[in-house]
């Protein structure tokens, strides 16, 4: 039997070293648990970075994918396929928006949203010098366009010059946004809940204020729901809790619950005045296999009342995390919404807590330099919250 070290050594020989991976090789999953190649079980409170919203092997999900494999996996976007229309209809209905473009990832969804916004502005005035306002401490992806609107110099420095025409404002500071607006501003992009930047939900007044500015000046509001969407905050999309609908929304991660798929969705105004045939494309986006996953995910969310379950369990999770903050001086505060939670760690490396938790059979991750991030499958029960707290406390006691 191969050891985990041998698997890791073989991978390091041929995989480009762009991740400092943890020393574990996962082989299978079941429910809200993962198992490594040596048979050790881990309680998963990271869900593949907020991807596996339904956990592993949720009833009916695997069967839907196997059924589609037996039919057809790919045709290209030169033709229609059945799951694409079904998935798009469910996504549009759930978001209350109008037109869907399926991508392969969240980063690609951001790229499409940026192009749609710039084309919308170009259609209005024929100019190509438009500007986009993004937020400091944001994260939207690692391609050049997505990186250009990511408000973290650490990610950008080695890859400059980036896409021009991007200005940065402070999240939850409306005056900061207003100070960046000019006659060239065509879009404002932000995460409804900042993820990588430290689990910061938008303030209601801030989001409403930005929306009002956008409506007044015909600026497009782009909301990135890649991590905070698909039920994680207690609504299907986090912006629905604020009552502030974007002109363009991006989503991915839990959209396919493990199958690589993303999308950007536009309202009628934006869709009718931006991208036309020849402006944008993708070989794999919207393929039958990925869209069969999306379609099934929406069916499960509706039929099994997944969001109701989030709203039932999330307060218990918050209560237990708040108790940890009260108990341990180095836990400064808890931030988040629903099942997207962060514990701010002061005076101790958060990475150390992540590593020790992994050894103790608990998977958690970090966000930024000082936040312990918990984004579990949405199907966890109270018993899993209790198990997580027990495992985490063992580590915190060492600290």
């Amino acid at each position: 039997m191969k050891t985990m070290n041998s698997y890791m050594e073989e991978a390091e020989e041929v995989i480009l070293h762009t991740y400092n991976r943890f020393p574990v090789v996962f082989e299978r999953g079941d429910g809200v648990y993962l198992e490594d190649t040596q048979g050790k079980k881990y309680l998963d409170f990271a869900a593949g970075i907020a991807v596996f919203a339904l956990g592993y092997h949720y009833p009916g999900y695997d069967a839907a994918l196997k059924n589609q494999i037996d039919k057809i996996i790919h045709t290209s976007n030169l033709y229609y396929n059945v799951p694409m229309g079904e998935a798009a209809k469910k996504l549009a209905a759930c978001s209350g928006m109008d037109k869907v473009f399926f991508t392969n990832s969240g980063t690609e969804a951001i790229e499409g949203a940026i192009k749609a916004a710039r084309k919308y502005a170009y259609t209005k005035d024929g100019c190509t010098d438009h500007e986009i306002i993004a937020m400091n401490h944001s994260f939207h992806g690692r391609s050049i366009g997505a990186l250009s609107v990511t408000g973290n110099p650490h990610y950008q420095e080695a890859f400059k010059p980036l896409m021009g025409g991007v200005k940065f404002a402070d999240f939850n500071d409306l005056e900061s946004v207003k100070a960046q607006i000019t006659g060239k501003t065509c879009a404002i992009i932000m995460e409804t809940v900042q993820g990588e930047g430290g689990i910061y939900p938008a303030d209601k007044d801030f989001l409403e204020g930005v929306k009002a500015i956008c409506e007044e000046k015909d600026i497009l509001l782009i909301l990135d729901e890649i991590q905070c969407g698909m039920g994680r905050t207690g609504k299907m999309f986090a912006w629905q809790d604020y009552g502030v609908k974007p002109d363009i929304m991006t989503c991915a991660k839990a959209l396919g619950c493990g199958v690589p798929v993303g999308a950007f969705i536009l309202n009628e105004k934006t869709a009718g005045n931006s991208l036309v045939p020849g402006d944008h494309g993708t070989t794999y986006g919207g393929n039958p296999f990925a869209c069969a996953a999306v379609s099934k995910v929406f069916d499960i969310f509706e039929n099994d009342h997944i969001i109701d379950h989030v709203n039932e369990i999330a307060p218990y999770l918050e209560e237990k995390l708040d108790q940890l903050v009260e108990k341990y001086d180095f836990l400064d505060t808890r931030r988040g919404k629903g099942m997207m939670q962060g514990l701010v760690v002061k005076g101790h490396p958060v990475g150390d807590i992540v590593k020790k938790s992994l050894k103790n059979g608990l998977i958690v991750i970090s966000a930024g330099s000082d936040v312990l991030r918990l984004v579990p499958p949405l199907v966890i029960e109270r018993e899993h919250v209790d198990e997580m707290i027990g495992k985490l406390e063992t580590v915190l006691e060492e600290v």
Side-chain angles (χ1 to χ4, degrees), residues 225-241:
E225 292 265 341
I226 291 167
Q227 185 171 162
C228 62
M230 294 302 293
R232 183 151 295 280
T233 65
K235 296 285 187 181
M236 183 58 82
F237 300 105
W239 61 261
Q240 292 172 330
D241 194 40

Side-chain angles (χ1 to χ4, degrees), residues 13-320:
E13 289 179 4
V14 291
I15 299 295
L16 185 64
H17 190 86
T18 58
Y19 283 90
N20 292 317
R21 291 179 169 87
F22 294 98
V24 62
V25 181
F26 291 122
E27 187 172 36
R28 65 184 75 248
D30 183 26
V32 298
Y33 295 90
L34 284 171
E35 186 176 310
D36 66 25
T37 55
Q38 308 303 304
K40 180 178 177 179
K41 285 182 66 175
Y42 302 77
L43 177 62
D44 186 5
F45 262 62
I49 315 182
V51 168
F52 269 91
L54 300 175
Y56 304 92
H57 305 297
Y58 191 90
Y61 176 81
D62 293 5
L65 297 185
K66 291 173 183 177
N67 180 56
Q68 188 60 47
I69 288 173
D70 289 338
K71 292 180 179 178
I72 192 168
I73 293 176
H74 177 74
T75 62
S76 90
N77 277 301
L78 297 177
Y79 316 99
Y80 296 95
N81 68 75
V82 174
M84 177 176 65
E86 293 176 347
K89 183 176 181 180
K90 292 171 185 177
L91 177 52
C94 193
S95 64
M97 300 182 73
D98 299 291
K99 299 292 183 180
V100 176
F101 186 101
F102 285 113
T103 66
N104 306 290
S105 67
T107 296
E108 289 182 30
I110 293 293
E111 293 287 339
I114 290 171
K115 286 182 68 175
R118 289 197 157 184
K119 181 63 186 296
Y120 178 86
Y122 176 82
T123 300
K124 284 198 302 181
D125 61 19
C127 295
T128 58
D129 59 350
H130 299 104
E131 299 171 345
I132 294 174
I133 298 174
M135 299 297 136
N136 289 315
H137 307 297
S138 61
F139 183 84
H140 297 289
R142 298 178 187 269
S143 59
I144 292 298
L147 197 59
S148 299
V149 294
T150 289
N152 189 328
H154 169 72
Y155 293 125
Q156 297 178 328
E157 186 174 351
F159 306 103
K160 293 181 177 179
L162 300 174
M163 181 183 76
V166 180
K167 295 180 173 183
F168 288 93
D170 293 330
F171 192 60
N172 283 332
D173 184 342
L174 189 59
E175 294 304 315
S176 174
V177 174
K178 289 179 179 178
Q180 298 294 348
I181 292 175
T182 70
K184 298 179 181 180
T185 305
C186 70
I188 300 174
I189 184 171
M190 70 181 79
E191 300 151 275
T192 317
V193 181
Q194 286 193 337
E196 194 73 22
I199 317 297
Y200 285 99
D203 292 338
K204 184 175 176 62
D205 289 346
F206 173 71
L207 204 55
E208 289 176 341
V210 171
K211 177 65 174 179
I213 292 170
C214 289
E215 290 184 342
E216 176 189 348
K217 299 182 179 295
D218 197 20
I219 295 170
L220 297 183
L221 175 61
I222 305 172
L223 290 183
D224 179 343
E225 292 265 341
I226 291 167
Q227 185 171 162
C228 62
M230 294 302 293
R232 183 151 295 280
T233 65
K235 296 285 187 181
M236 183 58 82
F237 300 105
W239 61 261
Q240 292 172 330
D241 194 40
Y242 297 84
V244 176
K245 183 187 290 188
D247 298 291
I248 306 174
M249 178 184 76
T250 63
C251 61
K253 289 190 181 291
L255 180 63
C257 283
V259 171
V261 60
F264 61 96
I265 307 96
L266 307 87
N267 61 17
E268 193 65 55
K269 174 190 77 171
T270 309
N273 296 280
S274 59
L275 301 177
V276 298
D279 281 345
H280 200 56
T282 171
T283 297
Y284 293 111
N287 74 69
F289 182 73
C291 287
V294 173
S295 184
K296 187 61 178 180
V297 166
F298 277 110
D299 287 347
I300 292 171
F301 265 71
E302 180 179 358
N303 296 334
D304 294 358
H305 309 287
I306 299 299
I307 293 177
D308 289 341
H309 182 74
V310 170
N311 289 317
E312 176 189 345
I313 301 298
Y316 185 69
L317 173 62
E318 293 176 348
E319 175 189 342
K320 290 297 184 180

